[in-house]
Amino acid sequence: MDRRELLRWAGAVAAAGMTPSARTQDAFPNRMMRVVVPYPAGGITDMLGRVIADILSKEVDKPVIVENKGGGTGTLAQQYILQQPHDGHMLLSGGLGGLILPTILNPNLPINPQDNFVPVAQLAELMNVLVVGRDVRARSLQELIAWGKANPGKLNYATNGVGTLAHFASALFNERAGTQFMHIPYRSSAEIITGLRNGDIHISFANAPTVAALVQAGALRAIAVTGAERTTSMPDVPTMIEAGMPDFVATGWLGAYAPVGTPQAVITRLSDILVRGGRQPDNIHKLETAGFQSSVRDSAAFGAFNRAEFTRWNDIARKENIKPEV
């Protein structure tokens, strides 16, 4: 074998021995990319998924498809992704309400997102607002707390279901305020609004975009919003922190995830793309128009934030005995 043949043979052996991960990193992306949404089209997670897809498609200069695969408390979409190559071509749109709280509520779900998915980048958060019903005279957080303490066990709060962010936020409020508002789960935000306006419900941590117009029109009274900063949709409403409850932050944050085993170089590239895109004024405007607040974290910061949020809300679930309905 002469020197030229030897070099060709060595190159072929090296190429054959290259791991799939290494080849994927060199060529990424080398086929159609997809963003999987674990809910039907039209919801907030779907909206965020389409923003993720749009940012990626502009950067890689290829179409990025959004797939909606609802069912199984999000596990059908997660199983679908885990069955595909773990190479960054398929991402999951999700966040607190779809990945963290269900795991806390039911640790026996067939897939634990904490173990099976890597946070790639956070892009947005969706805050709640503490609103009061028709018969509640309190106009400040301190007045509401005093009224709650004066009527232990006689007052209620409404949520859109057991284990939702509104439920966890309300439980956190009871713990921090020393009140005993009783939980009444409803099936929809529309029913909660009707109950507030009729006087059947005393308080609720409602989705901010859902009630913003009613608050501005004076049909509902807002006490405080649950973000670290005020929301652009209700700039005159203070945060819970400003209203007198230190460190009270409860927002529904969302971002992109990749399956565990995705090469780190690919995770880093995807994170850089999404962070850069998430900070573009047109995408910030798009998110704010849909009721989100822009909130961008890269993979490392988003991963740490996921772990901290799991610990925080898991502690609340244990203290307040939050369990799934039977």
Side-chain angles (χ1 to χ4, degrees), residues 7-26:
L7 289 173
R8 279 201 301 268
W9 176 82
V13 169
M18 185 181 293
T19 65
S21 293
R23 288 196 295 272
T24 298
Q25 291 178 49
D26 290 342

Side-chain angles (χ1 to χ4, degrees), residues 224-264:
V225 296
T226 63
E229 298 178 354
R230 299 189 183 196
T231 175
T232 53
S233 63
M234 289 177 283
D236 295 331
V237 179
T239 66
M240 293 287 289
I241 297 171
E242 290 173 330
M245 192 168 282
D247 301 324
F248 190 107
V249 176
T251 61
W253 41 265
L254 293 159
Y257 294 77
V260 166
T262 302
Q264 183 57 48

Side-chain angles (χ1 to χ4, degrees), residues 16-305:
M18 185 181 293
T19 65
S21 293
R23 288 196 295 272
T24 298
Q25 291 178 49
D26 290 342
F28 181 84
N30 55 30
R31 64 177 187 279
M32 181 76 72
M33 294 186 67
R34 289 176 168 82
V35 177
V36 180
V37 177
Y39 302 102
I44 59 171
T45 309
D46 177 67
M47 164 64 186
L48 197 279
R50 293 178 191 280
V51 171
I52 292 170
D54 185 56
I55 292 172
L56 291 172
S57 66
K58 290 177 180 176
E59 181 72 21
V60 303
D61 199 27
K62 293 180 181 178
V64 179
I65 303 301
V66 175
E67 290 190 50
N68 296 89
K69 289 191 174 292
T73 319
T75 57
L76 290 182
Q78 295 168 34
Q79 288 172 332
Y80 172 65
I81 293 175
L82 293 175
Q83 290 167 357
Q84 313 303 317
H86 296 193
D87 57 10
H89 287 84
M90 186 172 286
L91 301 179
L92 176 68
S93 173
L96 178 68
L99 299 179
I100 303 295
L101 298 186
T103 306
I104 292 172
L105 199 64
N106 187 357
N108 297 318
L109 287 173
I111 295 176
N112 185 339
Q114 300 292 301
D115 298 331
N116 290 280
F117 286 90
V118 179
V120 175
Q122 179 182 331
L123 292 182
E125 63 181 351
L126 193 68
M127 68 175 67
N128 284 2
V129 54
L130 175 57
V131 290
V132 298
R134 184 189 65 189
D135 297 333
V136 180
R137 296 183 179 181
R139 293 186 173 275
S140 70
L141 184 63
Q142 299 308 318
E143 289 179 359
L144 180 62
I145 292 173
W147 183 62
K149 287 182 176 180
N151 294 276
K154 298 178 182 179
L155 308 176
N156 62 53
Y157 68 86
T159 73
N160 51 345
V162 173
T164 58
L165 175 59
H167 187 189
F168 277 85
S170 301
L172 177 61
F173 174 80
N174 266 338
E175 180 196 49
R176 297 287 299 279
T179 51
Q180 297 177 26
F181 287 90
M182 307 300 292
H183 183 208
I184 302 179
Y186 278 72
R187 292 175 297 180
S188 70
S189 296
E191 291 181 339
I192 293 174
I193 291 170
T194 299
L196 287 164
R197 299 182 73 173
N198 290 342
D200 300 325
I201 299 170
H202 296 116
I203 69 170
S204 181
F205 281 91
N207 184 287
T210 302
V211 299
L214 293 169
V215 169
Q216 291 167 356
L220 292 178
R221 189 184 317 129
I223 300 297
V225 296
T226 63
E229 298 178 354
R230 299 189 183 196
T231 175
T232 53
S233 63
M234 289 177 283
D236 295 331
V237 179
T239 66
M240 293 287 289
I241 297 171
E242 290 173 330
M245 192 168 282
D247 301 324
F248 190 107
V249 176
T251 61
W253 41 265
L254 293 159
Y257 294 77
V260 166
T262 302
Q264 183 57 48
V266 173
I267 294 289
T268 300
R269 184 180 178 196
L270 289 169
S271 179
D272 290 345
I273 290 172
L274 292 174
V275 166
R276 189 164 55 248
R279 289 175 176 159
Q280 293 297 315
D282 59 331
N283 287 320
I284 292 174
H285 177 72
K286 188 183 300 182
L287 290 168
E288 290 181 347
T289 300
F292 294 101
Q293 299 285 111
S294 174
S295 178
V296 179
R297 288 183 170 93
D298 65 13
S299 181
F302 193 27
F305 183 63

